Short mmCIF file of all heavy atoms in Angstrom, two decimals:
data_model
loop_
_atom_site.label_atom_id
_atom_site.label_comp_id
_atom_site.label_asym_id
_atom_site.label_seq_id
_atom_site.Cartn_x
_atom_site.Cartn_y
_atom_site.Cartn_z
N SER A 1 -70.73 21.08 -41.33
CA SER A 1 -69.83 20.97 -42.46
C SER A 1 -69.33 22.38 -42.75
O SER A 1 -69.34 23.24 -41.86
CB SER A 1 -70.52 20.32 -43.65
OG SER A 1 -69.58 20.11 -44.70
N SER A 2 -68.90 22.66 -43.96
CA SER A 2 -68.30 23.96 -44.23
C SER A 2 -68.41 24.32 -45.71
O SER A 2 -68.37 23.44 -46.58
CB SER A 2 -66.82 23.95 -43.83
OG SER A 2 -66.14 25.08 -44.30
N SER A 3 -68.48 25.61 -45.99
CA SER A 3 -68.43 26.08 -47.37
C SER A 3 -67.10 25.75 -48.02
O SER A 3 -66.99 25.74 -49.25
CB SER A 3 -68.66 27.59 -47.42
OG SER A 3 -67.65 28.29 -46.72
N SER A 4 -66.09 25.43 -47.21
CA SER A 4 -64.77 25.09 -47.75
C SER A 4 -64.80 23.85 -48.64
O SER A 4 -63.90 23.66 -49.46
CB SER A 4 -63.77 24.87 -46.61
OG SER A 4 -63.56 26.04 -45.88
N VAL A 5 -65.83 23.01 -48.49
CA VAL A 5 -65.88 21.79 -49.30
C VAL A 5 -66.01 22.11 -50.79
O VAL A 5 -65.69 21.26 -51.64
CB VAL A 5 -67.04 20.85 -48.88
CG1 VAL A 5 -66.90 20.44 -47.42
CG2 VAL A 5 -68.40 21.47 -49.15
N TYR A 6 -66.45 23.32 -51.13
CA TYR A 6 -66.62 23.67 -52.54
C TYR A 6 -65.29 23.85 -53.26
O TYR A 6 -65.23 23.79 -54.49
CB TYR A 6 -67.52 24.90 -52.69
CG TYR A 6 -68.95 24.60 -52.36
CD1 TYR A 6 -69.50 24.96 -51.13
CD2 TYR A 6 -69.76 23.92 -53.25
CE1 TYR A 6 -70.82 24.64 -50.81
CE2 TYR A 6 -71.08 23.60 -52.95
CZ TYR A 6 -71.60 23.97 -51.73
OH TYR A 6 -72.90 23.65 -51.41
N GLY A 7 -64.21 24.08 -52.51
CA GLY A 7 -62.87 24.05 -53.07
C GLY A 7 -62.69 24.82 -54.37
O GLY A 7 -62.86 26.03 -54.41
N LEU A 8 -62.35 24.10 -55.44
CA LEU A 8 -62.07 24.72 -56.72
C LEU A 8 -63.31 25.05 -57.53
O LEU A 8 -63.20 25.56 -58.65
CB LEU A 8 -61.15 23.80 -57.55
CG LEU A 8 -59.73 23.61 -57.02
CD1 LEU A 8 -58.97 22.60 -57.87
CD2 LEU A 8 -58.97 24.93 -56.97
N ASN A 9 -64.50 24.79 -56.99
CA ASN A 9 -65.73 25.12 -57.72
C ASN A 9 -65.77 26.61 -58.06
O ASN A 9 -65.47 27.45 -57.21
CB ASN A 9 -66.97 24.76 -56.89
CG ASN A 9 -67.20 23.28 -56.80
OD1 ASN A 9 -66.26 22.50 -56.90
ND2 ASN A 9 -68.44 22.86 -56.61
N GLU A 10 -66.18 26.93 -59.27
CA GLU A 10 -66.30 28.33 -59.69
C GLU A 10 -67.69 28.65 -60.21
O GLU A 10 -67.92 29.74 -60.76
CB GLU A 10 -65.26 28.63 -60.79
CG GLU A 10 -63.82 28.56 -60.28
CD GLU A 10 -62.81 28.91 -61.35
OE1 GLU A 10 -63.22 29.20 -62.49
OE2 GLU A 10 -61.60 28.90 -61.04
N LYS A 11 -68.62 27.76 -60.03
CA LYS A 11 -70.02 28.00 -60.42
C LYS A 11 -70.74 28.60 -59.22
O LYS A 11 -70.82 27.99 -58.16
CB LYS A 11 -70.67 26.68 -60.84
CG LYS A 11 -72.15 26.76 -61.12
CD LYS A 11 -72.66 25.38 -61.58
CE LYS A 11 -74.18 25.29 -61.54
NZ LYS A 11 -74.67 25.17 -60.16
N TYR A 12 -71.24 29.82 -59.39
CA TYR A 12 -71.88 30.54 -58.29
C TYR A 12 -73.38 30.74 -58.58
O TYR A 12 -73.75 30.93 -59.74
CB TYR A 12 -71.21 31.90 -58.08
CG TYR A 12 -69.74 31.80 -57.74
CD1 TYR A 12 -68.77 32.18 -58.67
CD2 TYR A 12 -69.32 31.31 -56.50
CE1 TYR A 12 -67.42 32.08 -58.37
CE2 TYR A 12 -67.96 31.22 -56.20
CZ TYR A 12 -67.02 31.61 -57.13
OH TYR A 12 -65.69 31.51 -56.83
N PRO A 13 -74.21 30.75 -57.53
CA PRO A 13 -73.87 30.45 -56.14
C PRO A 13 -73.58 28.96 -55.96
O PRO A 13 -74.00 28.13 -56.76
CB PRO A 13 -75.13 30.86 -55.36
CG PRO A 13 -76.23 30.69 -56.35
CD PRO A 13 -75.65 31.06 -57.69
N PHE A 14 -72.87 28.63 -54.87
CA PHE A 14 -72.58 27.24 -54.56
C PHE A 14 -73.88 26.51 -54.20
O PHE A 14 -74.63 26.96 -53.34
CB PHE A 14 -71.63 27.13 -53.37
CG PHE A 14 -70.23 27.63 -53.64
CD1 PHE A 14 -69.47 28.16 -52.61
CD2 PHE A 14 -69.67 27.55 -54.91
CE1 PHE A 14 -68.16 28.60 -52.85
CE2 PHE A 14 -68.37 27.99 -55.15
CZ PHE A 14 -67.62 28.52 -54.12
N SER A 15 -74.10 25.39 -54.85
CA SER A 15 -75.32 24.61 -54.63
C SER A 15 -74.99 23.25 -54.05
O SER A 15 -73.98 22.63 -54.41
CB SER A 15 -76.07 24.42 -55.96
OG SER A 15 -77.11 23.48 -55.82
N VAL A 16 -75.85 22.78 -53.16
CA VAL A 16 -75.65 21.45 -52.57
C VAL A 16 -75.85 20.35 -53.61
O VAL A 16 -75.51 19.20 -53.37
CB VAL A 16 -76.60 21.21 -51.37
CG1 VAL A 16 -76.18 22.07 -50.19
CG2 VAL A 16 -78.05 21.46 -51.76
N GLN A 17 -76.40 20.70 -54.76
CA GLN A 17 -76.53 19.73 -55.85
C GLN A 17 -75.24 19.60 -56.67
O GLN A 17 -75.12 18.70 -57.50
CB GLN A 17 -77.68 20.11 -56.79
CG GLN A 17 -79.06 19.69 -56.29
CD GLN A 17 -79.58 20.59 -55.18
OE1 GLN A 17 -79.48 21.81 -55.29
NE2 GLN A 17 -80.13 20.00 -54.13
N ASP A 18 -74.26 20.49 -56.42
CA ASP A 18 -73.01 20.47 -57.16
C ASP A 18 -72.05 19.41 -56.61
O ASP A 18 -72.06 19.09 -55.42
CB ASP A 18 -72.32 21.84 -57.09
CG ASP A 18 -73.10 22.92 -57.82
OD1 ASP A 18 -73.92 22.58 -58.69
OD2 ASP A 18 -72.89 24.11 -57.50
N ASN A 19 -71.17 18.93 -57.48
CA ASN A 19 -70.10 18.04 -57.07
C ASN A 19 -69.08 18.82 -56.23
O ASN A 19 -68.74 19.95 -56.56
CB ASN A 19 -69.44 17.47 -58.34
CG ASN A 19 -68.23 16.60 -58.05
OD1 ASN A 19 -67.18 17.09 -57.68
ND2 ASN A 19 -68.39 15.31 -58.24
N VAL A 20 -68.59 18.20 -55.16
CA VAL A 20 -67.58 18.86 -54.31
C VAL A 20 -66.39 17.92 -54.08
O VAL A 20 -66.02 17.63 -52.95
CB VAL A 20 -68.17 19.34 -52.97
CG1 VAL A 20 -69.08 20.53 -53.16
CG2 VAL A 20 -68.93 18.22 -52.26
N ASP A 21 -65.79 17.49 -55.15
CA ASP A 21 -64.70 16.52 -55.07
C ASP A 21 -63.31 17.14 -55.22
O ASP A 21 -62.34 16.42 -55.43
CB ASP A 21 -64.87 15.44 -56.15
CG ASP A 21 -65.96 14.44 -55.79
OD1 ASP A 21 -66.30 14.35 -54.59
OD2 ASP A 21 -66.47 13.77 -56.69
N HIS A 22 -63.20 18.47 -55.11
CA HIS A 22 -61.90 19.10 -55.30
C HIS A 22 -61.60 20.09 -54.18
O HIS A 22 -61.41 21.30 -54.42
CB HIS A 22 -61.83 19.79 -56.67
CG HIS A 22 -61.99 18.83 -57.81
ND1 HIS A 22 -63.22 18.48 -58.33
CD2 HIS A 22 -61.06 18.11 -58.50
CE1 HIS A 22 -63.04 17.61 -59.30
NE2 HIS A 22 -61.75 17.36 -59.42
N PRO A 23 -61.53 19.62 -52.91
CA PRO A 23 -61.15 20.51 -51.81
C PRO A 23 -59.70 20.94 -51.96
O PRO A 23 -58.89 20.24 -52.58
CB PRO A 23 -61.35 19.63 -50.57
CG PRO A 23 -61.16 18.23 -51.08
CD PRO A 23 -61.74 18.23 -52.47
N ILE A 24 -59.35 22.09 -51.37
CA ILE A 24 -57.98 22.59 -51.49
C ILE A 24 -57.33 22.83 -50.12
O ILE A 24 -56.35 23.55 -50.00
CB ILE A 24 -57.90 23.86 -52.36
CG1 ILE A 24 -58.80 24.97 -51.83
CG2 ILE A 24 -58.25 23.52 -53.81
CD1 ILE A 24 -58.63 26.29 -52.58
N SER A 25 -57.88 22.22 -49.08
CA SER A 25 -57.23 22.22 -47.77
C SER A 25 -57.63 20.93 -47.07
O SER A 25 -58.68 20.34 -47.37
CB SER A 25 -57.67 23.42 -46.92
OG SER A 25 -59.03 23.30 -46.53
N LEU A 26 -56.79 20.48 -46.15
CA LEU A 26 -57.13 19.27 -45.40
C LEU A 26 -58.37 19.50 -44.56
O LEU A 26 -59.19 18.59 -44.38
CB LEU A 26 -55.96 18.84 -44.52
CG LEU A 26 -56.20 17.53 -43.75
CD1 LEU A 26 -56.37 16.35 -44.70
CD2 LEU A 26 -55.08 17.26 -42.76
N TYR A 27 -58.52 20.71 -44.02
CA TYR A 27 -59.74 21.03 -43.28
C TYR A 27 -60.98 20.74 -44.12
O TYR A 27 -61.90 20.06 -43.68
CB TYR A 27 -59.73 22.50 -42.84
CG TYR A 27 -61.06 22.99 -42.33
CD1 TYR A 27 -61.57 22.52 -41.12
CD2 TYR A 27 -61.81 23.91 -43.06
CE1 TYR A 27 -62.80 22.95 -40.65
CE2 TYR A 27 -63.04 24.35 -42.59
CZ TYR A 27 -63.53 23.87 -41.39
OH TYR A 27 -64.76 24.30 -40.93
N ALA A 28 -61.00 21.25 -45.36
CA ALA A 28 -62.13 21.02 -46.24
C ALA A 28 -62.31 19.54 -46.54
O ALA A 28 -63.44 19.03 -46.59
CB ALA A 28 -61.94 21.80 -47.54
N ALA A 29 -61.20 18.84 -46.73
CA ALA A 29 -61.28 17.40 -47.01
C ALA A 29 -61.90 16.64 -45.85
O ALA A 29 -62.68 15.70 -46.05
CB ALA A 29 -59.89 16.85 -47.33
N THR A 30 -61.58 17.04 -44.61
CA THR A 30 -62.18 16.35 -43.46
C THR A 30 -63.68 16.63 -43.37
O THR A 30 -64.45 15.77 -42.95
CB THR A 30 -61.50 16.75 -42.13
OG1 THR A 30 -61.69 18.14 -41.87
CG2 THR A 30 -60.02 16.41 -42.14
N LYS A 31 -64.10 17.82 -43.76
CA LYS A 31 -65.52 18.14 -43.73
C LYS A 31 -66.28 17.37 -44.81
O LYS A 31 -67.41 16.90 -44.59
CB LYS A 31 -65.73 19.65 -43.88
CG LYS A 31 -65.32 20.45 -42.66
CD LYS A 31 -66.12 20.01 -41.45
CE LYS A 31 -65.85 20.82 -40.21
NZ LYS A 31 -66.67 20.39 -39.05
N LYS A 32 -65.69 17.24 -45.99
CA LYS A 32 -66.29 16.40 -47.02
C LYS A 32 -66.35 14.95 -46.53
O LYS A 32 -67.35 14.24 -46.73
CB LYS A 32 -65.49 16.49 -48.32
CG LYS A 32 -65.90 15.50 -49.41
CD LYS A 32 -67.32 15.75 -49.92
CE LYS A 32 -67.76 14.65 -50.91
NZ LYS A 32 -67.00 14.61 -52.15
N ALA A 33 -65.29 14.49 -45.88
CA ALA A 33 -65.28 13.14 -45.33
C ALA A 33 -66.40 12.95 -44.32
O ALA A 33 -67.05 11.89 -44.28
CB ALA A 33 -63.92 12.85 -44.68
N ASN A 34 -66.66 13.96 -43.49
CA ASN A 34 -67.76 13.88 -42.52
C ASN A 34 -69.09 13.64 -43.21
O ASN A 34 -69.91 12.84 -42.74
CB ASN A 34 -67.84 15.16 -41.68
CG ASN A 34 -66.73 15.30 -40.66
OD1 ASN A 34 -66.55 16.35 -40.08
ND2 ASN A 34 -65.94 14.26 -40.45
N GLU A 35 -69.32 14.33 -44.32
CA GLU A 35 -70.56 14.15 -45.06
C GLU A 35 -70.69 12.72 -45.59
O GLU A 35 -71.76 12.10 -45.52
CB GLU A 35 -70.64 15.15 -46.21
CG GLU A 35 -70.70 16.60 -45.75
CD GLU A 35 -70.73 17.60 -46.89
OE1 GLU A 35 -70.74 17.17 -48.06
OE2 GLU A 35 -70.75 18.82 -46.61
N LEU A 36 -69.60 12.18 -46.09
CA LEU A 36 -69.60 10.81 -46.61
C LEU A 36 -69.80 9.79 -45.48
O LEU A 36 -70.54 8.81 -45.63
CB LEU A 36 -68.29 10.53 -47.35
CG LEU A 36 -67.99 11.39 -48.58
CD1 LEU A 36 -66.60 11.08 -49.12
CD2 LEU A 36 -69.04 11.16 -49.66
N MET A 37 -69.15 10.05 -44.36
CA MET A 37 -69.29 9.16 -43.21
C MET A 37 -70.74 9.17 -42.70
O MET A 37 -71.31 8.12 -42.38
CB MET A 37 -68.33 9.59 -42.10
CG MET A 37 -66.86 9.42 -42.45
SD MET A 37 -65.76 10.41 -41.41
CE MET A 37 -65.89 9.53 -39.85
#
């Protein structure tokens, strides 16, 4: 997957417990999709 999935998140450090529903590139969106798949 990729750190790009964190998108618009501004809470640091990025945690896997955080919501990642706001990607800002199609690349990031495909990586989030991979996790869901």
Side-chain angles (χ1 to χ4, degrees):
S1 185
S2 169
S3 62
S4 296
V5 301
Y6 289 101
L8 293 176
N9 287 28
E10 294 182 359
K11 173 178 165 286
Y12 300 108
F14 292 151
S15 169
V16 290
Q17 278 76 45
D18 293 339
N19 176 287
V20 288
D21 284 340
H22 298 88
I24 57 173
S25 69
L26 183 64
Y27 168 69
T30 63
K31 288 300 184 179
K32 172 65 186 295
N34 287 169
E35 295 178 2
L36 298 174
M37 294 161 72

